[in-house]
Amino acid sequence: MPKRQKEKQYQSAREHRANQSLRSGTTAGGVGAGSRPLPFECCALTLTPFTTPVCTKDGIIFDNAAITPYLLKHKVDPVTGRKMNSRDLILLHMDRDESTGKWQCPVLNKAFTDRTKIVAIRQPGINNNEANVFSYEAYYELNVKAKNYLDLISGLKFTKEDVIVLQDPNDEAHCKLRDIQHFAHIHTLREGNNTAAAAANNNNSNSSSNNIRNSVTASRIMDKLSREKRKREQAAAEESKKLFKSNSGDSSASSSLSKLASRKQQVIYTDELITSVNLTSGKASGSFTSTSMDVTRDNSSRLATEDEIITSQCEQLKRLKKKGTIRMFTNMGAMDIEIHCDIVPRTAMNFMLLAEKGEYNGSKFHRSIPNFMIQGGKKAGGNGKGTDSNNGGGSYWEKPFKDEFDVRLTHSGQGVVSMANSGPGTNGRQFFITYKSCAHLDRKHSVFGKVIRGLDILRRMEMTPTNKETDKPLETIKIESIEILDNPVNEALDAERRRIEKRKKEKQQLRDARKSSALGTSMTSTASKQVDESAQTKANLKKDSTKAKKQTMSGNLNTKEEQGVGISRLPPPPKKTSFGDFSGW
């Protein structure tokens, strides 16, 4: 049985020599460890994967869409810097695996990797500017060994001068040519950056307030981040104020929202939302990892964005589990529509708030297709093409909102009310009412209502003649007004306002309690009185207990004396104790 060897804690001389290439920064092939070889599937100009590959006589591959404009402008090879024009490019015919999308050898069906030796064989012709790409293994076995210099795909005869090496990991000169650090256009870009950096450093040296000298790239990135951060903070503050701003033309919904922002300085933070997601401003973590930020330990919540506030309001509306009801008065009659506020709160809130605001008054149904649906809701005076603010009016929040789907809401039957859109997440204000089931619209349009009364009015709309080209009704069909019968939206907004106010009071009380604890003062006089009364009660109980013990001891002594039992003058024996552990410490 062989003796089991222990794991050695040192490196042998042979291992030391084998790893010498790693310590010196060179590999066995002679290519430096700090080199950056270009991946085979990437263009040497854009450094991104190519789609229409072309190459030069040196075997450098470019994307035809990128290299052609570059040559028309500069007329030089972006890799070597030598003069070159578009006639020097060779179009490569490469095979791609349809399942994986990787380039492969058309003969061996092996995918090309960064360690594969690849060749291109030019096709003889008038221009001689096309080539088929193979792996060197297929070329060597089927052409060189067999001494059969016929192209493996076209069957045309070629010579060794027509063979172009596209990739050879063992050729040091070719690897150096494909090294990104040696590309001429990369050197030109670096020289331009160095010049700009020198100019920026000269400007910064004149400023006494700048103590850190960054590169031009770092300075540009830091300036961009600062601008974006200021924009985000300003936008968040403006959106939260705008959302709760009081509008004289709005109804009770807007007035209930304005109660929360009656003062300009009152804003909403993320920890005050019903979603209970506490997102901080990031100042504390950023100050620990960045030298450009002031050190702070205040890990406070950041301002809530408009979308986060709306999400919290929609969650409050969903928790009410109540339906909304409206009565739509048209020039053909009135229809009662039930709104699913408990299933699709955001879509329902948008429609109810727009209706309450009177945005649908005077709006026309601009599209009607028999046996399908009738569409309307565009702003009075809009062209009806699209759902954004430039095409017939936008949503209540003046921007598109995402779709809401539910298995309980489908386009089944007559009178289904659903949102019109121009793609996913583009809901605005327009809606349509179905004349019949439209199952192909499920999970493409958000269903938010159902006609529960007035289906005869809907059938009269369907019978109205329309233009065959534009589907526009020849007779005007418009919404005269909308009366809201049941409105859970206002109830949800008012409940959310009260909940946020309560949360703000709780946060203020917590801050006051922490402040008083740090200063060592009591909150109120009532609390101090309760503490004094509690201390006095404890003192009285202790006094009574001591007095009762003394009386008991004297009674026991008298009993023993009467019985004639001698009283020992020795100290009592120690109590038996057993040491357990430190859990009681």
mmCIF file of all heavy atoms in Angstrom, residues 64 135 200 222 266 293 353 392 417 462:
data_model
loop_
_atom_site.group_PDB
_atom_site.id
_atom_site.type_symbol
_atom_site.label_atom_id
_atom_site.label_comp_id
_atom_site.label_asym_id
_atom_site.label_seq_id
_atom_site.Cartn_x
_atom_site.Cartn_y
_atom_site.Cartn_z
ATOM 1 N N ASN A 64 -18.415 45.313 -42.171
ATOM 2 C CA ASN A 64 -18.515 46.111 -43.391
ATOM 3 C C ASN A 64 -19.272 47.411 -43.149
ATOM 4 O O ASN A 64 -18.941 48.448 -43.737
ATOM 5 C CB ASN A 64 -19.206 45.284 -44.482
ATOM 6 C CG ASN A 64 -19.100 45.945 -45.844
ATOM 7 O OD1 ASN A 64 -18.159 46.691 -46.108
ATOM 8 N ND2 ASN A 64 -20.066 45.685 -46.706
ATOM 9 N N SER A 135 -11.680 26.205 -40.769
ATOM 10 C CA SER A 135 -10.692 25.974 -39.717
ATOM 11 C C SER A 135 -9.412 25.433 -40.368
ATOM 12 O O SER A 135 -9.453 24.764 -41.406
ATOM 13 C CB SER A 135 -11.235 24.977 -38.692
ATOM 14 O OG SER A 135 -11.434 23.712 -39.278
ATOM 15 N N ALA A 200 -7.204 70.120 -19.371
ATOM 16 C CA ALA A 200 -8.074 70.170 -18.194
ATOM 17 C C ALA A 200 -7.269 70.339 -16.914
ATOM 18 O O ALA A 200 -7.668 71.064 -16.005
ATOM 19 C CB ALA A 200 -8.919 68.895 -18.124
ATOM 20 N N MET A 222 -17.543 62.259 -13.312
ATOM 21 C CA MET A 222 -17.976 62.852 -12.055
ATOM 22 C C MET A 222 -18.930 64.013 -12.285
ATOM 23 O O MET A 222 -19.931 64.162 -11.575
ATOM 24 C CB MET A 222 -16.751 63.325 -11.261
ATOM 25 C CG MET A 222 -15.842 62.199 -10.785
ATOM 26 S SD MET A 222 -16.654 61.049 -9.661
ATOM 27 C CE MET A 222 -16.946 62.112 -8.262
ATOM 28 N N GLN A 266 -43.482 70.405 2.966
ATOM 29 C CA GLN A 266 -43.921 69.070 3.340
ATOM 30 C C GLN A 266 -43.784 68.141 2.134
ATOM 31 O O GLN A 266 -44.431 68.338 1.117
ATOM 32 C CB GLN A 266 -45.363 69.100 3.815
ATOM 33 C CG GLN A 266 -45.794 67.829 4.528
ATOM 34 C CD GLN A 266 -47.144 67.972 5.157
ATOM 35 O OE1 GLN A 266 -47.923 68.813 4.764
ATOM 36 N NE2 GLN A 266 -47.440 67.153 6.144
ATOM 37 N N MET A 293 -17.171 62.890 -1.339
ATOM 38 C CA MET A 293 -18.382 63.177 -0.572
ATOM 39 C C MET A 293 -18.039 63.429 0.882
ATOM 40 O O MET A 293 -17.096 62.845 1.414
ATOM 41 C CB MET A 293 -19.375 62.007 -0.681
ATOM 42 C CG MET A 293 -19.847 61.719 -2.090
ATOM 43 S SD MET A 293 -20.999 60.324 -2.173
ATOM 44 C CE MET A 293 -22.368 60.979 -1.219
ATOM 45 N N LEU A 353 -60.294 59.544 -12.278
ATOM 46 C CA LEU A 353 -59.830 60.915 -12.056
ATOM 47 C C LEU A 353 -60.031 61.783 -13.293
ATOM 48 O O LEU A 353 -60.381 62.965 -13.187
ATOM 49 C CB LEU A 353 -58.356 60.898 -11.649
ATOM 50 C CG LEU A 353 -58.045 60.300 -10.273
ATOM 51 C CD1 LEU A 353 -56.544 60.289 -10.029
ATOM 52 C CD2 LEU A 353 -58.755 61.075 -9.171
ATOM 53 N N GLY A 392 -54.281 63.654 -28.908
ATOM 54 C CA GLY A 392 -55.577 63.432 -28.296
ATOM 55 C C GLY A 392 -55.572 63.408 -26.791
ATOM 56 O O GLY A 392 -56.584 63.087 -26.192
ATOM 57 N N VAL A 417 -65.051 47.108 -21.252
ATOM 58 C CA VAL A 417 -64.340 48.384 -21.404
ATOM 59 C C VAL A 417 -62.864 48.136 -21.151
ATOM 60 O O VAL A 417 -62.475 47.619 -20.101
ATOM 61 C CB VAL A 417 -64.888 49.452 -20.440
ATOM 62 C CG1 VAL A 417 -64.252 50.802 -20.722
ATOM 63 C CG2 VAL A 417 -66.399 49.543 -20.550
ATOM 64 N N GLU A 462 -73.309 50.377 -32.660
ATOM 65 C CA GLU A 462 -72.741 49.428 -33.616
ATOM 66 C C GLU A 462 -73.429 49.518 -34.968
ATOM 67 O O GLU A 462 -72.792 49.295 -36.011
ATOM 68 C CB GLU A 462 -72.863 48.011 -33.049
ATOM 69 C CG GLU A 462 -72.211 46.945 -33.907
ATOM 70 C CD GLU A 462 -72.340 45.564 -33.302
ATOM 71 O OE1 GLU A 462 -73.041 45.439 -32.266
ATOM 72 O OE2 GLU A 462 -71.736 44.619 -33.848
#
